[in-house]
Amino acid sequence: MMDTVLDVLSWIFLLGGAIFLLVGAIGALRFPDFYTRLHAVSVCDTMGAGLVLVGLMLQGGLSLVTVKLLLMFYFMMFTGPTAVHALAEAAMQSKLKPVVDEREP
Amino acid sequence: MYIAVTIAILIAIALGLVRAFRGPTLYDRIMAGNMIGTLTVLMVAVLGFMTGRPEFLDIALVYVLISFVSTIAVLRVYIIRGTMDSSSTGSGKE
């Protein structure tokens, strides 16, 4: 009984993660400006990866596999936002202006 | 079940590739590269679970760090190249 609950829960996490990955990827395609696309990619990196990894952890149970997944989750939570910040910093430095709303407030 | 997640990740990678080709600015391409990197990590992990081989997780773990370092390295190349162009006499270091 407990096993099936764990399996179903991990499937929900995995599917949720896959949905976030797709939404992030579609957002990266359709957004008008570089900085908005950057946001979509970072959502895809952190949230999608987080859900997928948690889903896999539930499948892994209490074992070395889960420790590796925890490590991967830990590194992803640090490197994802840092890389996106470095990207935005480099883009701003090269005078790439974000598209601001010109309409009158 | 894992196959569904793998297919979703493959579609996301394909969308990332489209963004990499179409991306007007250079930084779009670097962003797409970073995105495809993390998606590949996830696919390797999921495939490791699907085929029942725990070794795949070591590969995925290493690749998380490699893709991060490579993104930062590529950015450094263009930051330094940018500073060298603008400051013709500059030494290129911040």
Side-chain angles (χ1 to χ4, degrees):
Chain A
M1 168 51 194
M2 187 55 195
D3 198 20
T4 53
V5 167
L6 267 182
D7 276 353
V8 169
L9 204 58
S10 79
W11 285 351
I12 292 168
F13 272 106
L14 276 168
L15 276 181
I19 288 167
F20 265 93
L21 288 177
L22 278 176
V23 164
I26 291 169
L29 258 179
R30 286 175 52 83
F31 277 160
D33 169 53
F34 166 69
Y35 293 99
T36 45
R37 283 195 286 264
L38 205 52
H39 166 67
V41 167
S42 69
V43 160
C44 162
D45 278 356
T46 46
M47 192 53 185
L51 283 182
V52 166
L53 289 179
V54 167
L56 290 178
M57 276 180 222
L58 292 179
Q59 288 285 350
L62 289 174
S63 69
L64 185 60
V65 165
T66 311
V67 170
K68 284 179 195 161
L69 284 166
L70 270 172
L71 263 174
M72 218 190 297
F73 184 82
Y74 179 74
F75 284 144
M76 267 195 174
M77 287 304 129
F78 274 105
T79 57
T82 317
V84 169
H85 170 73
L87 253 162
E89 183 72 29
M92 280 304 270
Q93 234 178 12
S94 75
K95 287 170 280 307
L96 178 68
K97 281 286 160 284
V99 173
V100 288
D101 190 358
E102 285 86 11
R103 279 175 306 171
E104 297 314 313
Chain B
M1 177 55 215
Y2 292 125
I3 296 169
V5 180
T6 315
I7 289 169
I9 291 177
L10 281 175
I11 293 170
I13 286 179
L15 292 176
L17 269 177
V18 168
R19 169 50 54 194
F21 284 126
R22 231 173 51 173
T25 63
L26 154 75
Y27 298 102
D28 283 307
R29 293 196 169 88
I30 300 177
M31 173 192 75
N34 180 28
M35 178 171 121
I36 291 173
T38 51
L39 287 172
T40 314
V41 162
L42 290 175
M43 199 170 73
V44 165
V46 167
L47 286 182
F49 263 80
M50 189 166 79
T51 54
R53 283 205 204 88
E55 301 82 17
F56 276 32
L57 289 178
D58 306 338
I59 301 170
L61 185 59
V62 167
Y63 194 61
V64 167
L65 300 171
I66 288 177
S67 86
F68 169 64
V69 168
S70 67
T71 306
I72 300 296
V74 169
L75 282 177
R76 290 293 298 165
V77 165
Y78 286 108
I79 287 176
I80 289 171
R81 194 172 288 174
T83 48
M84 271 199 297
D85 295 346
S86 53
S87 62
S88 56
T89 59
S91 67
K93 280 189 292 300
E94 268 74 44

